[in-house]
Amino acid sequence: MNTKTTKTIYWIGAIFLSLWFGASGFFELMKNPIVWDITVQLGYPPHFIYILGVAKLSGVIVLLTPNRLLRLKEWVFAGIFFDIIFAFFSKLSVLEPSAAIDAVVAFIAVTVTYIMFRKLYPATYDNVSVG
């Protein structure tokens, strides 16, 4: 796969994730009844929902910043993975299994996007000493 294809897949994924998690974060902060009620039903406290909304919107800003904040993007990807995993298992525990399908789709999207991110920006460990 050439660099242009990798960049295209990465940016399609980054934009898709940003729209998904940006909308989710916005709805959490605006106390949208659909998002809010499901999250409360899953057992999360109201103060956590606001924190999650701020984290998602902050992550979107970092994710959409080109060629910068690469280490912080690692944290954003980790946060998205955790959010998806918690949503998946929370929905399986409280709701019916079909409610977790969106988490599976999000997991696939973030995995593909992260793989492309790593192809574009390979991890280097030049300043790490062993022993």
mmCIF file of all heavy atoms in Angstrom, residues 40-62:
data_model
loop_
_atom_site.group_PDB
_atom_site.id
_atom_site.type_symbol
_atom_site.label_atom_id
_atom_site.label_comp_id
_atom_site.label_asym_id
_atom_site.label_seq_id
_atom_site.Cartn_x
_atom_site.Cartn_y
_atom_site.Cartn_z
ATOM 1 N N VAL A 40 -27.076 7.085 31.174
ATOM 2 C CA VAL A 40 -27.533 6.936 32.557
ATOM 3 C C VAL A 40 -28.076 5.524 32.781
ATOM 4 O O VAL A 40 -27.806 4.898 33.805
ATOM 5 C CB VAL A 40 -28.595 8.005 32.908
ATOM 6 C CG1 VAL A 40 -29.273 7.706 34.230
ATOM 7 C CG2 VAL A 40 -27.950 9.385 32.943
ATOM 8 N N GLN A 41 -28.815 5.013 31.791
ATOM 9 C CA GLN A 41 -29.352 3.652 31.888
ATOM 10 C C GLN A 41 -28.224 2.623 32.015
ATOM 11 O O GLN A 41 -28.379 1.605 32.683
ATOM 12 C CB GLN A 41 -30.208 3.338 30.659
ATOM 13 C CG GLN A 41 -30.912 2.001 30.700
ATOM 14 C CD GLN A 41 -31.730 1.752 29.436
ATOM 15 O OE1 GLN A 41 -31.788 2.576 28.536
ATOM 16 N NE2 GLN A 41 -32.354 0.594 29.380
ATOM 17 N N LEU A 42 -27.087 2.910 31.397
ATOM 18 C CA LEU A 42 -25.942 2.002 31.493
ATOM 19 C C LEU A 42 -25.258 2.079 32.854
ATOM 20 O O LEU A 42 -24.381 1.284 33.154
ATOM 21 C CB LEU A 42 -24.931 2.294 30.380
ATOM 22 C CG LEU A 42 -25.413 2.002 28.958
ATOM 23 C CD1 LEU A 42 -24.371 2.456 27.947
ATOM 24 C CD2 LEU A 42 -25.746 0.532 28.778
ATOM 25 N N GLY A 43 -25.656 3.063 33.666
ATOM 26 C CA GLY A 43 -25.150 3.142 35.026
ATOM 27 C C GLY A 43 -24.091 4.195 35.278
ATOM 28 O O GLY A 43 -23.502 4.250 36.359
ATOM 29 N N TYR A 44 -23.820 5.044 34.293
ATOM 30 C CA TYR A 44 -22.799 6.066 34.472
ATOM 31 C C TYR A 44 -23.402 7.296 35.148
ATOM 32 O O TYR A 44 -24.493 7.726 34.791
ATOM 33 C CB TYR A 44 -22.173 6.436 33.126
ATOM 34 C CG TYR A 44 -21.419 5.279 32.522
ATOM 35 C CD1 TYR A 44 -21.994 4.494 31.521
ATOM 36 C CD2 TYR A 44 -20.158 4.941 32.980
ATOM 37 C CE1 TYR A 44 -21.315 3.417 30.978
ATOM 38 C CE2 TYR A 44 -19.468 3.863 32.444
ATOM 39 C CZ TYR A 44 -20.051 3.100 31.448
ATOM 40 O OH TYR A 44 -19.381 2.043 30.921
ATOM 41 N N PRO A 45 -22.698 7.904 36.105
ATOM 42 C CA PRO A 45 -23.235 9.074 36.807
ATOM 43 C C PRO A 45 -23.197 10.328 35.918
ATOM 44 O O PRO A 45 -22.358 10.432 35.017
ATOM 45 C CB PRO A 45 -22.287 9.233 38.003
ATOM 46 C CG PRO A 45 -21.021 8.582 37.571
ATOM 47 C CD PRO A 45 -21.399 7.473 36.632
ATOM 48 N N PRO A 46 -24.101 11.264 36.179
ATOM 49 C CA PRO A 46 -24.181 12.480 35.347
ATOM 50 C C PRO A 46 -22.869 13.254 35.224
ATOM 51 O O PRO A 46 -22.524 13.717 34.135
ATOM 52 C CB PRO A 46 -25.251 13.312 36.046
ATOM 53 C CG PRO A 46 -26.117 12.304 36.723
ATOM 54 C CD PRO A 46 -25.179 11.210 37.163
ATOM 55 N N HIS A 47 -22.124 13.393 36.314
ATOM 56 C CA HIS A 47 -20.877 14.169 36.211
ATOM 57 C C HIS A 47 -19.885 13.510 35.251
ATOM 58 O O HIS A 47 -19.130 14.180 34.570
ATOM 59 C CB HIS A 47 -20.241 14.379 37.595
ATOM 60 C CG HIS A 47 -19.662 13.139 38.190
ATOM 61 N ND1 HIS A 47 -20.420 12.218 38.875
ATOM 62 C CD2 HIS A 47 -18.396 12.652 38.182
ATOM 63 C CE1 HIS A 47 -19.637 11.222 39.279
ATOM 64 N NE2 HIS A 47 -18.418 11.460 38.865
ATOM 65 N N PHE A 48 -19.913 12.185 35.174
ATOM 66 C CA PHE A 48 -19.021 11.456 34.273
ATOM 67 C C PHE A 48 -19.384 11.729 32.815
ATOM 68 O O PHE A 48 -18.506 11.819 31.954
ATOM 69 C CB PHE A 48 -19.072 9.953 34.564
ATOM 70 C CG PHE A 48 -18.208 9.136 33.653
ATOM 71 C CD1 PHE A 48 -16.838 9.096 33.830
ATOM 72 C CD2 PHE A 48 -18.766 8.427 32.596
ATOM 73 C CE1 PHE A 48 -16.027 8.342 32.985
ATOM 74 C CE2 PHE A 48 -17.967 7.678 31.747
ATOM 75 C CZ PHE A 48 -16.596 7.641 31.946
ATOM 76 N N ILE A 49 -20.670 11.884 32.538
ATOM 77 C CA ILE A 49 -21.113 12.119 31.162
ATOM 78 C C ILE A 49 -20.574 13.447 30.649
ATOM 79 O O ILE A 49 -20.128 13.548 29.503
ATOM 80 C CB ILE A 49 -22.655 12.051 31.071
ATOM 81 C CG1 ILE A 49 -23.145 10.672 31.533
ATOM 82 C CG2 ILE A 49 -23.122 12.331 29.644
ATOM 83 C CD1 ILE A 49 -24.639 10.560 31.711
ATOM 84 N N TYR A 50 -20.570 14.468 31.503
ATOM 85 C CA TYR A 50 -20.000 15.758 31.104
ATOM 86 C C TYR A 50 -18.496 15.647 30.848
ATOM 87 O O TYR A 50 -17.976 16.181 29.872
ATOM 88 C CB TYR A 50 -20.260 16.824 32.172
ATOM 89 C CG TYR A 50 -21.683 17.314 32.211
ATOM 90 C CD1 TYR A 50 -22.478 17.095 33.323
ATOM 91 C CD2 TYR A 50 -22.235 18.001 31.135
ATOM 92 C CE1 TYR A 50 -23.791 17.555 33.365
ATOM 93 C CE2 TYR A 50 -23.541 18.458 31.162
ATOM 94 C CZ TYR A 50 -24.314 18.227 32.283
ATOM 95 O OH TYR A 50 -25.604 18.681 32.316
ATOM 96 N N ILE A 51 -17.806 14.959 31.735
ATOM 97 C CA ILE A 51 -16.357 14.772 31.566
ATOM 98 C C ILE A 51 -16.064 14.038 30.259
ATOM 99 O O ILE A 51 -15.148 14.387 29.511
ATOM 100 C CB ILE A 51 -15.761 14.015 32.773
ATOM 101 C CG1 ILE A 51 -15.892 14.863 34.042
ATOM 102 C CG2 ILE A 51 -14.320 13.614 32.511
ATOM 103 C CD1 ILE A 51 -15.605 14.106 35.325
ATOM 104 N N LEU A 52 -16.864 13.012 29.983
ATOM 105 C CA LEU A 52 -16.704 12.244 28.749
ATOM 106 C C LEU A 52 -16.922 13.128 27.525
ATOM 107 O O LEU A 52 -16.172 13.038 26.541
ATOM 108 C CB LEU A 52 -17.692 11.071 28.758
ATOM 109 C CG LEU A 52 -17.500 9.969 27.738
ATOM 110 C CD1 LEU A 52 -16.114 9.350 27.856
ATOM 111 C CD2 LEU A 52 -18.566 8.901 27.929
ATOM 112 N N GLY A 53 -17.915 14.009 27.586
ATOM 113 C CA GLY A 53 -18.171 14.925 26.478
ATOM 114 C C GLY A 53 -17.006 15.855 26.208
ATOM 115 O O GLY A 53 -16.599 16.051 25.060
ATOM 116 N N VAL A 54 -16.435 16.405 27.260
ATOM 117 C CA VAL A 54 -15.277 17.293 27.113
ATOM 118 C C VAL A 54 -14.082 16.514 26.548
ATOM 119 O O VAL A 54 -13.379 16.990 25.651
ATOM 120 C CB VAL A 54 -14.910 17.950 28.464
ATOM 121 C CG1 VAL A 54 -13.572 18.670 28.379
ATOM 122 C CG2 VAL A 54 -16.009 18.905 28.903
ATOM 123 N N ALA A 55 -13.852 15.313 27.056
ATOM 124 C CA ALA A 55 -12.734 14.493 26.578
ATOM 125 C C ALA A 55 -12.898 14.156 25.095
ATOM 126 O O ALA A 55 -11.929 14.214 24.326
ATOM 127 C CB ALA A 55 -12.628 13.210 27.410
ATOM 128 N N LYS A 56 -14.108 13.820 24.688
ATOM 129 C CA LYS A 56 -14.338 13.478 23.281
ATOM 130 C C LYS A 56 -14.099 14.678 22.374
ATOM 131 O O LYS A 56 -13.440 14.551 21.328
ATOM 132 C CB LYS A 56 -15.758 12.948 23.093
ATOM 133 C CG LYS A 56 -15.942 11.541 23.622
ATOM 134 C CD LYS A 56 -17.381 11.083 23.439
ATOM 135 C CE LYS A 56 -17.574 9.683 23.990
ATOM 136 N NZ LYS A 56 -18.966 9.214 23.824
ATOM 137 N N LEU A 57 -14.616 15.833 22.748
ATOM 138 C CA LEU A 57 -14.420 17.016 21.906
ATOM 139 C C LEU A 57 -12.947 17.440 21.863
ATOM 140 O O LEU A 57 -12.444 17.846 20.810
ATOM 141 C CB LEU A 57 -15.307 18.160 22.382
ATOM 142 C CG LEU A 57 -16.815 17.939 22.165
ATOM 143 C CD1 LEU A 57 -17.614 19.106 22.725
ATOM 144 C CD2 LEU A 57 -17.139 17.729 20.691
ATOM 145 N N SER A 58 -12.252 17.316 22.981
ATOM 146 C CA SER A 58 -10.812 17.615 23.005
ATOM 147 C C SER A 58 -10.054 16.634 22.108
ATOM 148 O O SER A 58 -9.147 17.024 21.367
ATOM 149 C CB SER A 58 -10.273 17.528 24.431
ATOM 150 O OG SER A 58 -10.935 18.438 25.259
ATOM 151 N N GLY A 59 -10.429 15.373 22.174
ATOM 152 C CA GLY A 59 -9.803 14.347 21.345
ATOM 153 C C GLY A 59 -10.010 14.594 19.862
ATOM 154 O O GLY A 59 -9.103 14.384 19.047
ATOM 155 N N VAL A 60 -11.186 15.049 19.493
ATOM 156 C CA VAL A 60 -11.478 15.355 18.091
ATOM 157 C C VAL A 60 -10.554 16.454 17.590
ATOM 158 O O VAL A 60 -10.008 16.360 16.480
ATOM 159 C CB VAL A 60 -12.966 15.748 17.917
ATOM 160 C CG1 VAL A 60 -13.212 16.414 16.577
ATOM 161 C CG2 VAL A 60 -13.856 14.529 18.086
ATOM 162 N N ILE A 61 -10.340 17.470 18.394
ATOM 163 C CA ILE A 61 -9.447 18.564 17.997
ATOM 164 C C ILE A 61 -8.036 18.026 17.748
ATOM 165 O O ILE A 61 -7.402 18.341 16.744
ATOM 166 C CB ILE A 61 -9.436 19.682 19.065
ATOM 167 C CG1 ILE A 61 -10.804 20.377 19.094
ATOM 168 C CG2 ILE A 61 -8.316 20.683 18.813
ATOM 169 C CD1 ILE A 61 -11.019 21.279 20.289
ATOM 170 N N VAL A 62 -7.558 17.199 18.649
ATOM 171 C CA VAL A 62 -6.219 16.614 18.495
ATOM 172 C C VAL A 62 -6.167 15.712 17.270
ATOM 173 O O VAL A 62 -5.232 15.775 16.473
ATOM 174 C CB VAL A 62 -5.811 15.832 19.764
ATOM 175 C CG1 VAL A 62 -4.529 15.044 19.543
ATOM 176 C CG2 VAL A 62 -5.662 16.781 20.946
#
